[in-house]
Amino acid sequence: MAGKTAQSRLSRNRTRSAWLFLAPMLVTLFVVAAWPLGRTVWFSFTDASLDLISQARWVGIRNYLEWVDWGDGTGQYYGLLADPRWWRSVWNTVRFAVVSVSFETLFGLVIALVLNQSFRGRGLVRAAVLIPWAIPTIVSAKMWAWMMHDQFGILNDMFMRLGLISEPVAWTASPDTAMIAILIVDIWKTTPFMALLILAGLQMVPQDIYEAAKLDGVPPTRVFRKITLPLIMPAVLVAVVFRALDALRVFDIVYVLTPNTDATRTMSVYARENLFDFDQFAYGSAASTLLFLVIALITISFILATRMDLEGNTT
Amino acid sequence: MATVELINVSKSFGSVEVLRDINLSLEKGKFVVFVGPSGCGKSTLLRMIAGLEDITSGELRIDGQPMNEVLPAKRGIAMVFQSYALYPHMTVFENMSFGLEQAKLSKPEIEARVQDAAKMLQIEGLLDRKPKQLSGGQRQRVAIGRAITRDPRVFLFDEPLSNLDAALRVDTRLEIAALSERLPDTTMIYVTHDQVEAMTLADRIVVLNGGIVEQVGSPMDLYESPASEFVAGFIGSPRMNFLKGGVAEAHGAATYGIRPEHIALSDERGDWSGRVVLTERLGSDTFVHVEVKGVGPVNVRVEGRADFASGETVYLSPDPASVHLFDPQGRPVVRSVTP
Ligand SMILES: Nc1ncnc2c1ncn2[C@@H]1O[C@H](COP(=O)(O)OP(=O)(O)OP(=O)(O)O)[C@@H](O)[C@H]1O
Ligand SMILES: [Mg+2]
């Protein structure tokens, strides 16, 4: 009996000190994440504008959806959910995320497999591969903007010389190629990150099982499908979630490369436009709130669909 | 007939030669142990037989067939790795059947082979588990089971017991001995640096040192007539006493070797006298460390219990028939025994 109380006092003490250690982190998280998020959600239900933020009044869900009656029996829906421009930007964002993350995963996997082999100068190549990731996005976007310039760009020059195109293409300005342009830049920039995360996963695979597979006479393709891939899958999935979270919030590349184009406007760009350019602070807040919900929904569905192991139980 | 033959086999990593001119002929169905100190090339030799390392020069034959260029899977061998090398994402059953599927065996055949091996090793109840849900000893059995299902001509073990605790090591050693009894046509090649494992398991021991074969023979051959000072020191526990100086010179040798169990100890009379420095009591045996005047430190094994105080004077008499004499190069000196 005495032992039991001592035990529970010990565990109570441990619980208390655990909370004590967690407290600074929780406070920081609250200040930098929960509080701004809460404020944004609150503003989305008000009529706040940029210069009258403090006088914001509660207006219900008007920013999201409102039925405006014309008085003659007809009427129209207004609000974010009825705005085709918003839905276009949701679609742009999702399309961008799916395509860029797919290519980045594929290229990242290939590069990681190569970097995992031992060859002369591997250390150098590993470092060199990281360069695109190390350059700030704004800088690399500007760099690509010049390369893709319709008159002075090196890309058009090269393609013309090679005879791939007959006249200069306005890569970033033309609605047909704008999305492709930002995809190229994003894939170029982020593949190294993917490659590195997957490489870390590859290096966790014990080497001796490859020798066991050699003794079992398993051909390389089957070794890859049956041994390598299942063992690095957890690492790949985590990398995909990281990248998807980033891609769904994409802002800087689009803002620098293709501002004001319907073809590439993403949710973040849409929210910023309304918050600061159009002086519709409340409406922009509503867009930000929905942006958060969409990302959360997609990420959670992905985690559930792939039965991702967030607690590290599988290997 | 020999199953495994190595003819003038050498191995270099870059410019470093780690094995030199190995000639071995290992008989079918025998239990052969490669033993030697760390870094002497045991694993490398085993991996060359398995086909995991290229043979730099020389020839490897199994059942008379040259094997240098044959893929590991086609050599009729199976290997148990020191780290077990189980596929972590597969169940025990899948671990054991993966190679068989590759060999294009039928489903019922695979099932039967896995069940047989599982029964032999008493792991039938574990077939649905993943490796991480097993204890070290159970993983070891699965690794052995996976090797058994391949029905190999030659079974290779690389220090399979080194990750187990002392008690389990003894049990598993007995099981491996039993396994080789049950597979009388399978040649076993077993690598260890533990001479007790070598002595208890082997039909033949190959002692390696610094990339060359020091001696090949049955455990008792090696114990009774070691072909070098190295083998004499390596085989037998506790280690043979090596005495230099006067005693050795009196016999016309550089080194005079006598095992602790071949010295009689008395508190009244003997050939040598000395003072007890330390006694180690193991229960069944007692090891008495004696500083012998004019000879040096000598370790003596006394059966059962023996109580000596430190500093006490005792008398030692080495058994003249069990003395080993070596020249300065560590080669045995032909004996002309007079104590
Ligand atoms: N891949 C390699 N590249 C270069 N040198 C190697 C390689 N593998 C082994 N060696 C060298 O070959 C020698 C023999 O190694 P090996 O692994 O066969 O020793 P071992 O007898 O099995 O030792 P241990 O008892 O420690 O396992 C060592 O000196 C080692 O440094
Ligand atoms: Mg070794």
Side-chain angles (χ1 to χ4, degrees):
Chain A
M1 192 59 215
K4 198 169 173 189
T5 26
Q7 182 77 37
S8 66
R9 188 180 307 145
L10 181 66
S11 74
R12 249 205 322 274
N13 267 336
R14 292 175 54 144
T15 314
R16 195 178 319 131
S17 43
W19 279 110
L20 215 63
F21 281 117
L22 279 175
M25 191 65 207
L26 291 175
V27 169
T28 314
L29 267 181
F30 180 81
V31 171
V32 303
W35 173 248
L37 181 65
R39 290 275 287 174
T40 306
V41 175
W42 152 253
F43 282 131
S44 75
F45 293 106
T46 67
D47 61 357
S49 66
L50 213 45
D51 39 356
L52 295 171
I53 282 187
S54 51
Q55 292 159 34
R57 278 179 311 122
W58 179 267
V59 295
I61 61 161
R62 215 175 70 189
N63 290 317
Y64 293 94
L65 196 62
E66 181 187 26
W67 172 254
V68 177
D69 205 325
W70 295 147
D72 55 0
T74 63
Q76 195 180 345
Y77 277 113
Y78 281 93
L80 199 55
L81 292 173
D83 183 354
R85 266 165 56 97
W86 164 252
W87 289 114
R88 177 78 201 262
S89 63
V90 172
W91 168 237
N92 281 343
T93 312
V94 171
R95 196 165 52 137
F96 169 82
V98 170
V99 176
S100 68
V101 174
S102 305
F103 275 103
E104 283 156 19
T105 309
L106 193 70
F107 294 155
L109 185 61
V110 172
I111 292 174
L113 286 170
V114 172
L115 291 184
N116 198 34
Q117 302 299 314
S118 50
F119 54 86
R120 277 169 68 100
R122 175 169 72 168
L124 203 70
V125 176
R126 280 189 187 172
V129 159
L130 271 179
I131 289 175
W133 177 248
I135 299 176
T137 311
I138 300 291
V139 176
S140 57
K142 267 285 176 225
M143 190 176 87
W144 277 93
W146 273 107
M147 285 169 43
M148 290 174 167
H149 196 277
D150 49 351
Q151 289 168 47
F152 313 115
I154 190 171
L155 225 54
N156 277 337
D157 187 56
M158 276 188 340
F159 287 173
M160 297 269 278
R161 279 171 204 267
L162 290 172
L164 293 177
I165 50 176
S166 53
E167 57 192 70
V169 177
W171 294 98
T172 53
S174 147
D176 299 331
T177 54
M179 182 55 104
I180 296 175
I182 62 166
L183 278 170
I184 289 175
V185 178
D186 192 70
I187 293 168
W188 172 83
K189 179 180 165 53
T190 336
T191 296
F193 172 76
M194 216 54 171
L196 217 66
L197 283 188
I198 297 175
L199 181 62
L202 275 175
Q203 292 186 327
M204 298 290 286
V205 180
Q207 290 306 301
D208 53 4
I209 63 175
Y210 288 113
E211 298 197 326
K214 225 186 229 177
L215 293 182
D216 278 341
V218 188
T221 48
R222 197 166 139 90
V223 169
F224 179 74
R225 269 191 310 117
K226 291 287 189 169
I227 296 174
T228 308
L229 212 49
L231 287 176
I232 61 168
M233 215 45 188
V236 173
L237 290 182
V238 169
V240 165
V241 167
F242 267 113
R243 272 307 302 149
L245 282 173
D246 258 0
L248 288 167
R249 296 179 318 203
V250 65
F251 173 77
D252 34 16
I253 292 187
V254 183
Y255 189 69
V256 172
L257 228 49
T258 61
N260 289 322
T261 315
D262 277 340
T264 60
R265 181 179 295 106
T266 62
M267 293 188 283
S268 297
V269 174
Y270 181 95
R272 203 210 77 97
E273 266 177 13
N274 283 287
L275 283 168
F276 303 111
D277 293 348
F278 304 163
D279 195 15
Q280 305 200 43
F281 197 79
Y283 195 71
S285 295
S288 302
T289 305
L290 274 192
L291 161 70
F292 169 73
L293 287 179
V294 169
I295 293 181
L297 201 74
I298 292 178
T299 312
I300 290 170
S301 329
F302 182 82
I303 289 175
L304 291 180
T306 56
R307 278 187 248 114
M308 196 194 285
D309 168 34
L310 291 174
E311 280 157 30
N313 285 330
T314 38
T315 39
Chain B
M1 207 207 107
T3 28
V4 180
E5 286 170 285
L6 294 138
I7 302 153
N8 292 327
V9 167
S10 299
K11 173 72 187 177
S12 305
F13 289 107
S15 59
V16 188
E17 191 171 51
V18 297
L19 288 166
R20 195 161 57 247
D21 270 339
I22 306 288
N23 283 289
L24 284 174
S25 174
L26 311 177
E27 262 173 85
K28 187 182 175 77
K30 292 279 192 239
F31 201 115
V32 182
V33 174
F34 293 170
V35 69
S38 187
C40 68
K42 309 175 296 284
S43 298
T44 307
L45 189 57
L46 194 76
R47 290 164 56 80
M48 288 200 300
I49 296 172
L52 296 172
E53 297 284 0
D54 290 333
I55 297 172
T56 311
S57 70
E59 193 176 11
L60 166 71
R61 291 193 197 148
I62 298 180
D63 284 341
Q65 306 285 316
M67 285 289 144
N68 289 37
E69 304 298 326
V70 177
L71 288 175
K74 305 264 185 250
R75 293 188 179 194
I77 50 122
M79 182 157 167
V80 178
F81 294 82
Q82 180 174 358
S83 54
Y84 316 136
L86 298 175
Y87 306 118
H89 58 299
M90 297 187 192
T91 63
V92 169
F93 184 91
E94 289 163 342
N95 261 287
M96 292 167 77
S97 62
F98 190 56
L100 301 179
E101 283 167 24
Q102 203 54 49
K104 300 275 184 300
L105 262 58
S106 70
K107 270 245 159 63
E109 167 87 29
I110 293 177
E111 179 80 29
R113 281 209 198 179
V114 173
Q115 290 294 349
D116 280 354
K119 198 174 291 166
M120 200 185 285
L121 294 163
Q122 291 146 24
I123 48 172
E124 296 128 296
L126 309 176
L127 289 176
D128 294 327
R129 299 219 198 148
K130 295 262 179 75
K132 67 158 189 206
Q133 299 165 310
L134 302 176
S135 72
Q138 290 169 332
R139 279 179 216 173
Q140 176 64 267
R141 284 154 190 269
V142 174
I144 294 175
R146 179 171 67 179
I148 292 177
T149 58
R150 295 176 50 85
D151 193 15
R153 292 183 288 185
V154 184
F155 225 113
L156 308 174
F157 296 89
D158 191 356
E159 309 212 20
L161 308 186
S162 54
N163 287 336
L164 303 180
D165 66 49
L168 203 53
R169 204 175 297 168
V170 174
D171 289 349
T172 314
R173 197 173 76 205
L174 293 174
E175 275 176 38
I176 290 176
L179 178 71
S180 91
E181 299 272 298
R182 241 175 290 153
L183 304 169
D185 293 332
T186 311
T187 308
M188 305 271 181
I189 304 180
Y190 185 105
V191 162
T192 179
H193 57 252
D194 177 1
Q195 59 94 20
V196 176
E197 274 172 39
M199 295 294 279
T200 51
L201 285 170
D203 294 316
R204 292 182 82 67
I205 297 181
V206 176
V207 183
L208 289 165
N209 185 27
I212 57 163
V213 175
E214 285 271 342
Q215 189 173 2
V216 182
S218 72
M220 281 306 128
D221 283 347
L222 301 192
Y223 179 79
E224 285 164 1
S225 29
S228 68
E229 192 177 326
F230 174 82
V231 176
F234 198 80
I235 301 291
S237 167
R239 218 172 113 85
M240 184 184 280
N241 296 295
F242 290 115
L243 308 170
K244 310 254 179 203
V247 218
E249 279 156 23
H251 292 82
T255 309
Y256 173 104
I258 181 80
R259 296 192 188 278
E261 55 270 39
H262 295 146
I263 302 176
L265 189 146
S266 148
D267 43 12
E268 286 154 11
R269 70 184 89 76
D271 299 333
W272 300 335
S273 72
R275 284 174 184 283
V276 173
V277 178
L278 178 76
T279 38
E280 295 173 298
R281 298 180 187 85
L282 301 188
S284 60
D285 297 307
T286 305
F287 299 126
V288 187
H289 296 264
V290 182
E291 183 67 37
V292 177
K293 259 177 261 148
V295 170
V298 175
N299 184 10
V300 183
R301 171 172 169 265
V302 180
E303 231 173 276
R305 184 172 172 167
D307 292 311
F308 292 101
S310 289
E312 197 177 332
T313 303
V314 291
Y315 299 90
L316 311 182
S317 310
D319 169 17
S322 305
V323 172
H324 300 272
L325 299 172
F326 301 98
D327 66 16
Q329 282 73 47
R331 299 286 133 210
V333 171
V334 184
R335 273 193 297 178
S336 54
V337 185
T338 37

